[in-house]
Amino acid sequence: SAPPGRAGAVGGGEGAAGARRDGPCSVVVGADFQVVVFPQGERCSLPRLAGAPLGQSPAFVVAAPAPRGASGVALVVGTTAGRLLTVALKQSGGDSFSAEAGPLWPTTRSAGGLKLFLNRVLGSSEDQAPTAPPARAVELLPAPAGSGALFAALVLGEGDVALYAHPRSMAAPELLWVASLASLLGMGAVARPRLLAAKHYCEEPTGLLVLFATAEASGQEEPPDGEIEGSSPRCTTSLARLSWTPQFWREPPRLTAPEAGIVGLGPAPSASLLRPWGCAAGEESAFLAAAGRMAVVAVRASEQKFMLCTVSLTPSGLVVARSQPLQAGLLGLALVSEGASSGRVAALTPYGLLECPTQAGEGVPELEVEHEDEDMGAADVGAHGLLRGAYDLYAGGQEERAADVASRAFERFGAAGVLTGVERCTMELLDAPGLTGARWRGVDDSVATRHLLFDKAGDLQQWLGFLNACGIWTRLGGLPGTVRAQQKACEACERAAAASRLRELDDCAPKVFEAAIRRTLQEAEAAAGTGRAAKNGDDPSEARRYYGSVGSCERLLASLVDYPRSLPLGSCDVTDAVLFANAAVAAFLEAALERRSQVISAFRALLPPPKPASKPQCLSVSSPPPRAIGSDWLLSPVVLGALDQLRRANLEVIPAASMTQGLPLLDAQALRILESLHDLCRTTLRVGYASTGDLHVDSMAALRRPVLQHLAMAEETALGQSRGAQRALSLAEQFEDIEAVVALAAKDDMARLDEHLRSSPTFCTEALMYFLRVADLRPLFFRAVRLLEIPRAQVDDLLRPYPELLWILHVHSLGQDAPRPDWDRVLSKVNNQAVAAAHGERHSSAKRDAFAALAAIAQRACAAQTCSRTADVAESACLGRLQRVCLRFSAQETATSSASGGCKRSSPPDQPPASAEEILRRLAGCIRTALPVVHAEGADGRLCIDAAQLVRLVERGLEEARVDVAHFLGTRANALEETPAGVISALQLLWAEVAMAEEASWREVLDAHEGISRDALVSSLGFARMARWSEEESEAPPRSVALEPLCEAFPDLRPLAPALRLSVGRGSSSAMQPAGGCGAQAASVGNLLFAAPAAAAFR
């Protein structure tokens, strides 16, 4: 690409002998004055111009006409500061170029020393030399014969004009004269016209056309129709013709005739629409072109609207021949003369090139417009009538008259009215009956409908040609709704082609189509709420009614899909019916796509190009993007519903692989259905891609997912799981369903998956992310990391959302024969990461428990004393187990309460990790129910130890907050309060609930005699286990278990107080430890792993 800057067109020159030589085609002057030449061959980049002015940047470039015998070209470069300089571009031979910058052009006239001295002594005003205006544009003129100059340059400013004579060297040009625009136009000193454009014309008498606007406009709130937005009727845009004097080398031009040399063209642009000269292409305020005795002016009326005026340059003055709006931005304007008073206007817009003939003074016969009224509805009817008349002229071979009538429709009804008329004409051509009258009476329906569809297709093709040739789309430009109208016009052609394909299939199965057409028409009448009147001899048949109105031809697909369901399942007829329905629907879609491709080839600018893809394509076998995007009528609910029902019908009919073993005919039948379904699925995905233009947008993904699922299910049914879903995998690759490619290839073709991973880094990244999202595919992630040697930094980024999997990566880095110190180092790292993850997990209690279990395992496996924070992990594991208990029994209560409604709940949901105080309140509310159930399961010991550890943890937190626990034991606060008193009340509630859960056993203790049996019974109860458990031998019982305050708060415990007192202060904490000498940490790990396996927690 060339450097940013300005470009100037340069044509080939004439040699000394007149022979043609190849020169540069264009030259780009960059912002840093670097010159890039584009000759006939390779481009040539030149270094920055030597002698280029500092602090200046180019704003525009004009190529001067090369003199005969010259070996280069002169470029006039205007800067953003309004200064000018000359760049000499020389061609030394072949594609070798060199460039040289001249000095800045002077802004004042030079005078001799003696003359300047005398003027100053005598006080003459001639020393006050006029200053050339800042250059906004340059019009190059041929130098007069005998002047010795290379060319003349007319410099145009905002309100002044200057003329320079450029020598045949790189010396500075001479400033000949400077004149204000007001003086040239013969206006007073008060007038301040603004120069919009100027053009030199060579017709005798030679002169200068000047387009200007009067003083700044004062805006109106509601400009009248036809006036420019924000302008005032008193401020107009005018065109003036100035004639050169015989001494134009020293004198400015003059008005030809003051009364006829200026003509008004319309309102002046508002201040918001005036653009500075030298602005970017497409932002200019006005254009002026002249050829022969005609001129064309384009003045900006709004951001996306110009007014085009044709002016005749007659001997008696300027005459406005015609004005018309152009609803589009302009990039350039040209007028090609085709005689003394005729020419052809070429307007370059962002939407295409608009060409129209112009003939001064000649009118075009008006077409009659029916029901023309003042309201908008009548305006639409009028525009529709003019367009139909113009179309008839175009169809009759009168293209120029058709273009003129179409332009008059814009003048009369505006772009919005024409757009509505285009849409109406398109629908009329699509749904025109065309088979009425005596001509078609008695003609067979097959012949008549075939002829009707052929005529429709031809008329619609000719309609598109008319809209393109007459510049309808170009004139509409960026008007809202234009793209939709263009897509609708193409859609009409597609519908005609699809209906024609159905008509061909109608000949193959007339009975099937007769029933389907009848049902489609009946459903349409029912949906419209109208019934079919009694038939008479003049009523068209059902076939003529359907094929005569193909604006809803896709409704027939649903009736064709229902045809196989009307036959008995398992018969040969139903198989043939499914195959026929598949072929018919696929042919319908293919015909529409083929017609769209033909329209795009014939009218390249009709449909919009696809938007940039949301993601780049990552597979080499992916389908290329469509050239243009049409309407989405092939993705309507009617079509998608029919396709879904048809795929399901294929799944019902296709024989299973277990049934076809040893039956060749049945196996061949299954393969035929499978191939037919594969073709249907491929066509469906092609339709989706052609309508969306992006393989990764949500609409395409929603269409692609069920299509591939149904095809994969059909392959597994027909071929068995051992042979894989190769057809579905191929379509997934072609239309880039990354998840389907990974899932199917991982199941059936790992070599194919490895090839994609190696060949496409983008696919590799997407596949690795999908491996991690699906728990069953996570082993493939670590396999791919080892196989492809993925950089560690990328692996860490991918695993950042999955900290529970980092330990696998660390362990995999060790070999089978790794020494013990390496194992201890890795285990220490795993432990530290697991502890940090357990404490940092805020969303899933199951994940927190898994991290705690992993840390405990790493601590027990590590022989070195490098693992730390053991107590924190044990506390996290304890809280996790108790939270699951609370969730379990609260879920059971919910299921019990809703059992009458039939609701079931298999497992408690996962929740975010709760604090110790919150778990304490939940546990106090459910432990009376939970303890007997857990005791029956043989897991009550773990629950009691966890509850005791919870009590110690909460009391430790209160002590660290400097709360006197003994002081609050006598108070009666609400256990739900988030205050120290509420927390202590919750602790007492927990002790009371544990005791009352085993009330019967405590009464047995009261009745038992002192001895070993009673001590064993006391030690087996939960209250005693909790009271006697401690992390250290010398640790005192919890303060909240004090019986006197507890019995005061809960009087129901008073009868049990003598028995409860046996558990407080007696017994050994060692009796509460798990059997086998295993510490609390190890027991907690084992219980966690059995209660919630790590794999389940990772989910």
Side-chain angles (χ1 to χ4, degrees):
S1 60
R6 298 293 174 174
V10 181
E14 294 290 336
R20 190 73 179 175
R21 60 179 175 83
D22 292 333
C25 293
S26 61
V27 178
V28 175
V29 181
D32 58 348
F33 281 94
Q34 180 186 357
V35 177
V36 179
V37 183
F38 292 87
Q40 302 293 338
E42 296 292 332
R43 81 173 207 174
C44 178
S45 298
L46 306 181
R48 187 180 187 276
L49 288 174
L54 298 176
Q56 302 278 350
S57 59
F60 60 88
V61 181
V62 180
R68 295 179 61 87
S71 60
V73 68
L75 304 176
V76 178
V77 181
T79 69
T80 54
R83 300 300 301 273
L84 297 170
L85 70 151
T86 306
V87 176
L89 181 64
K90 300 178 181 180
Q91 184 175 11
S92 58
D95 290 341
S96 177
F97 297 90
S98 62
E100 177 187 359
L104 291 173
W105 291 13
T107 58
T108 58
R109 295 181 60 182
S110 61
L114 179 60
K115 182 178 180 181
L116 181 60
F117 173 75
L118 292 176
N119 288 336
R120 289 182 177 179
V121 170
L122 298 176
S124 174
S125 60
E126 291 186 13
D127 65 332
Q128 306 296 329
T131 303
R136 299 299 179 232
V138 172
E139 180 77 9
L140 298 183
L141 311 176
S147 63
L150 180 62
F151 59 86
L154 187 66
V155 178
L156 308 177
E158 296 288 347
D160 299 287
V161 180
L163 184 67
Y164 285 86
H166 198 289
R168 292 179 173 269
S169 65
M170 292 302 294
E174 179 186 0
L175 178 59
L176 301 179
W177 51 258
V178 179
S180 66
L181 183 59
S183 64
L184 292 178
L185 299 175
M187 298 181 177
V190 179
R192 297 179 59 186
R194 175 164 180 167
L195 184 62
L196 299 180
K199 181 67 66 175
H200 170 74
Y201 69 96
C202 303
E203 293 291 327
E204 294 294 338
T206 61
L208 185 68
L209 292 176
V210 177
L211 181 67
F212 64 95
T214 54
E216 188 66 37
S218 60
Q220 292 182 357
E221 295 181 0
E222 290 282 345
D225 294 340
E227 290 190 7
I228 298 178
E229 174 188 348
S231 62
S232 172
R234 295 174 300 171
C235 302
T236 60
T237 301
S238 302
L239 182 67
R241 180 171 64 174
L242 308 178
S243 298
W244 297 107
T245 65
Q247 299 295 327
F248 88 96
W249 202 244
R250 298 298 177 183
E251 297 179 4
R254 300 173 182 176
L255 274 175
T256 305
E259 63 281 357
I262 301 178
V263 63
L265 302 179
S270 64
S272 61
L273 299 177
L274 287 174
R275 303 290 192 268
W277 287 18
C279 58
E283 297 184 0
E284 293 86 346
S285 302
F287 293 88
L288 174 61
R293 297 192 179 276
M294 297 184 63
V296 176
V297 176
V299 180
R300 185 182 292 273
S302 64
E303 290 294 339
Q304 290 295 326
K305 182 179 180 181
F306 275 81
M307 295 298 298
L308 289 178
C309 299
T310 305
V311 181
S312 297
L313 310 179
T314 65
S316 59
L318 303 180
V319 178
V320 179
R322 188 173 180 183
S323 297
Q324 55 182 316
L326 177 62
Q327 195 73 33
L330 267 185
L331 302 177
L333 185 69
L335 177 62
V336 181
S337 177
E338 295 181 345
S341 60
S342 63
R344 181 173 296 274
V345 177
L348 181 62
T349 74
Y351 309 98
L353 181 65
L354 176 64
E355 294 187 49
C356 55
T358 300
Q359 195 158 4
E362 179 181 346
V364 178
E366 299 286 346
L367 296 179
E368 294 185 1
V369 182
E370 298 179 355
H371 311 293
E372 185 174 350
D373 204 348
E374 295 296 330
D375 59 325
M376 188 62 185
D380 293 343
V381 172
H384 160 260
L386 278 181
L387 288 175
R388 286 305 301 261
Y391 171 66
D392 293 339
L393 290 173
Y394 179 84
Q398 303 182 51
E399 289 85 356
E400 293 190 0
R401 288 195 63 196
D404 193 81
V405 173
S407 66
R408 291 185 180 276
F410 280 92
E411 297 174 18
R412 179 175 300 182
F413 303 105
V418 172
L419 179 61
T420 305
V422 168
E423 294 177 339
R424 180 177 171 183
C425 290
T426 301
M427 295 308 299
E428 286 182 354
L429 291 173
L430 180 63
D431 290 333
L435 294 178
T436 57
R439 175 188 176 189
W440 297 101
R441 190 174 302 164
V443 179
D444 186 71
D445 285 347
S446 62
V447 176
T449 54
R450 190 180 296 108
H451 179 83
L452 171 64
L453 292 174
F454 180 81
D455 285 349
K456 280 184 182 292
D459 292 342
L460 289 169
Q461 177 72 15
Q462 195 170 45
W463 172 248
L464 291 182
F466 160 74
L467 295 175
N468 182 72
C470 294
I472 302 295
W473 301 127
T474 305
R475 292 176 184 271
L476 291 173
L479 185 69
T482 301
V483 173
R484 180 176 58 85
Q486 291 173 321
Q487 292 176 331
K488 284 290 185 182
C490 181
E491 176 188 326
C493 296
E494 297 169 14
R495 288 181 177 275
S500 299
R501 188 65 56 87
L502 290 179
R503 184 61 195 82
E504 296 174 4
L505 295 172
D506 193 341
D507 294 335
C508 301
K511 296 296 183 183
V512 175
F513 272 83
E514 180 181 356
I517 290 175
R518 182 181 300 111
R519 178 178 175 180
T520 300
L521 294 177
Q522 291 174 353
E523 291 177 350
E525 293 168 357
T530 59
R532 183 67 175 166
K535 294 184 63 175
N536 55 55
D538 294 332
D539 285 344
S541 64
E542 292 176 339
R544 296 191 182 192
R545 288 170 53 201
Y546 172 75
Y547 291 115
S549 178
V550 295
S552 57
C553 59
E554 70 274 11
R555 295 185 179 275
L556 186 68
L557 300 182
S559 300
L560 291 176
V561 170
D562 288 338
Y563 165 59
R565 297 184 182 275
S566 63
L567 302 175
L569 188 64
S571 64
C572 294
D573 292 339
V574 72
T575 301
D576 294 337
V578 167
L579 294 175
F580 179 78
N582 289 347
V585 174
F588 179 89
L589 301 178
E590 289 288 353
L593 292 180
E594 182 181 358
R595 188 69 185 98
R596 180 180 300 180
S597 178
Q598 294 172 354
V599 170
I600 293 173
S601 299
F603 309 99
R604 298 182 180 275
L606 177 64
L607 297 179
K611 296 180 180 179
S614 56
K615 293 181 181 179
Q617 293 188 356
C618 55
L619 296 178
S620 59
V621 296
S622 300
S623 295
R627 290 183 293 172
I629 302 299
S631 67
D632 59 350
W633 75 280
L634 293 176
L635 296 182
S636 65
V638 174
V639 177
L640 294 182
L643 290 172
D644 182 75
Q645 292 298 321
L646 183 56
R647 293 195 302 270
R648 295 181 184 276
N650 280 263
L651 293 176
E652 295 175 5
V653 171
I654 191 168
S658 58
M659 300 171 53
T660 61
Q661 293 181 357
L663 300 174
L665 294 180
L666 195 59
D667 184 65
Q669 178 179 321
L671 290 178
R672 289 173 58 202
I673 296 177
L674 185 59
E675 288 297 333
S676 178
L677 177 61
H678 174 244
D679 294 340
L680 177 66
C681 293
R682 182 178 61 248
T683 302
T684 303
L685 295 180
R686 288 186 59 226
V687 166
Y689 194 17
S691 301
T692 60
D694 191 345
L695 291 172
H696 302 287
V697 293
D698 294 339
S699 56
M700 183 63 188
L703 170 67
R704 182 176 53 208
R705 188 177 302 110
V707 170
L708 296 179
Q709 288 177 350
H710 289 159
L711 182 57
M713 292 169 59
E715 289 191 83
E716 291 184 358
T717 301
L719 306 177
Q721 297 185 356
S722 60
R723 299 176 63 176
Q726 295 298 321
R727 294 171 179 81
L729 177 57
S730 177
L731 289 184
E733 293 171 339
Q734 186 177 354
F735 295 95
E736 281 204 359
D737 190 328
I738 304 300
E739 296 183 358
V741 170
V742 173
L744 295 175
K747 180 182 177 182
D748 303 322
D749 197 344
M750 283 300 301
R752 197 168 180 174
L753 178 60
D754 292 341
E755 180 63 26
H756 289 322
L757 292 173
R758 290 189 181 94
S759 60
S760 174
T762 304
F763 176 83
C764 181
T765 302
E766 295 285 341
L768 291 176
M769 295 171 62
Y770 183 67
F771 288 152
L772 293 174
R773 287 197 300 269
V774 181
D776 293 339
L777 298 180
R778 284 174 179 171
L780 296 180
F781 173 83
F782 298 98
R783 173 185 176 275
V785 169
R786 294 194 310 271
L787 182 66
L788 304 177
E789 298 180 354
I790 305 296
R792 183 55 183 269
Q794 182 180 356
V795 175
D796 291 341
D797 291 340
L798 292 171
L799 287 176
R800 188 168 290 111
Y802 308 92
E804 67 273 16
L805 300 179
L806 281 173
W807 67 275
I808 301 177
L809 189 64
H810 297 319
V811 174
H812 280 192
S813 64
L814 294 172
Q816 296 182 353
D817 301 329
R820 183 67 194 189
D822 292 347
W823 274 100
D824 290 342
R825 174 179 53 80
V826 170
L827 291 172
S828 176
K829 190 173 183 179
V830 170
N831 168 73
N832 295 336
Q833 291 180 348
V835 170
H839 288 280
E841 180 59 46
R842 295 291 182 269
H843 304 288
S844 171
S845 59
K847 279 190 175 184
R848 181 194 62 181
D849 300 342
F851 291 136
L854 178 61
I857 293 174
Q859 292 167 9
R860 297 294 294 178
C862 184
Q865 300 298 322
T866 55
C867 294
S868 60
R869 306 175 72 175
T870 303
D872 291 346
V873 176
E875 291 173 357
S876 298
C878 166
L879 294 177
R881 289 190 295 271
L882 291 178
Q883 185 172 355
R884 285 199 304 277
V885 170
C886 297
L887 288 174
R888 172 188 174 186
F889 287 96
S890 63
Q892 286 183 358
E893 292 177 1
T894 304
T896 303
S897 62
S898 59
S900 59
C903 299
K904 297 183 68 178
R905 199 164 181 176
S906 59
S907 61
D910 190 15
Q911 289 186 353
S915 63
E917 290 77 8
E918 186 177 356
I919 293 176
L920 172 64
R921 297 186 183 94
R922 296 181 185 177
L923 186 63
C926 69
I927 197 168
R928 183 184 293 195
T929 304
L931 194 57
V933 177
V934 175
H935 176 75
E937 296 174 354
D940 55 329
R942 180 71 268 162
L943 176 60
C944 293
I945 293 175
D946 288 340
Q949 191 172 359
L950 174 65
V951 172
R952 300 275 185 179
L953 179 61
V954 173
E955 288 190 4
R956 190 184 313 126
L958 293 173
E959 292 175 357
E960 293 175 355
R962 299 183 182 276
V963 176
D964 187 359
V965 177
H967 171 73
F968 287 99
L969 287 177
T971 61
R972 294 188 179 183
N974 190 349
L976 299 179
E977 294 180 3
E978 296 183 358
T979 61
V983 174
I984 294 174
S985 297
L987 287 171
Q988 290 182 312
L989 179 60
L990 177 64
W991 289 111
E993 290 294 315
V994 171
M996 296 306 296
E998 300 173 327
E999 181 181 4
S1001 299
W1002 285 113
R1003 293 190 180 279
E1004 292 181 12
V1005 172
L1006 289 174
D1007 297 336
H1009 295 285
E1010 182 178 1
I1012 298 176
S1013 300
R1014 189 186 68 175
D1015 293 343
L1017 179 59
V1018 171
S1019 301
S1020 65
L1021 298 180
F1023 189 91
R1025 293 184 178 187
M1026 291 176 58
R1028 295 176 179 179
W1029 181 88
S1030 64
E1031 296 177 345
E1032 300 178 2
E1033 292 290 339
S1034 59
E1035 192 172 6
R1039 295 187 180 186
S1040 58
V1041 78
L1043 289 180
E1044 290 75 8
L1046 190 61
C1047 291
E1048 291 180 5
F1050 302 95
D1052 293 343
L1053 295 180
R1054 291 186 183 279
L1056 306 179
L1060 296 175
R1061 191 170 288 108
L1062 297 175
S1063 61
V1064 180
R1066 293 187 60 179
S1068 172
S1069 63
S1070 62
M1072 308 298 12
Q1073 300 294 342
C1078 183
Q1081 174 190 352
S1084 113
V1085 172
N1087 207 303
L1088 172 63
L1089 292 179
F1090 281 106
F1098 286 156
R1099 301 191 190 100

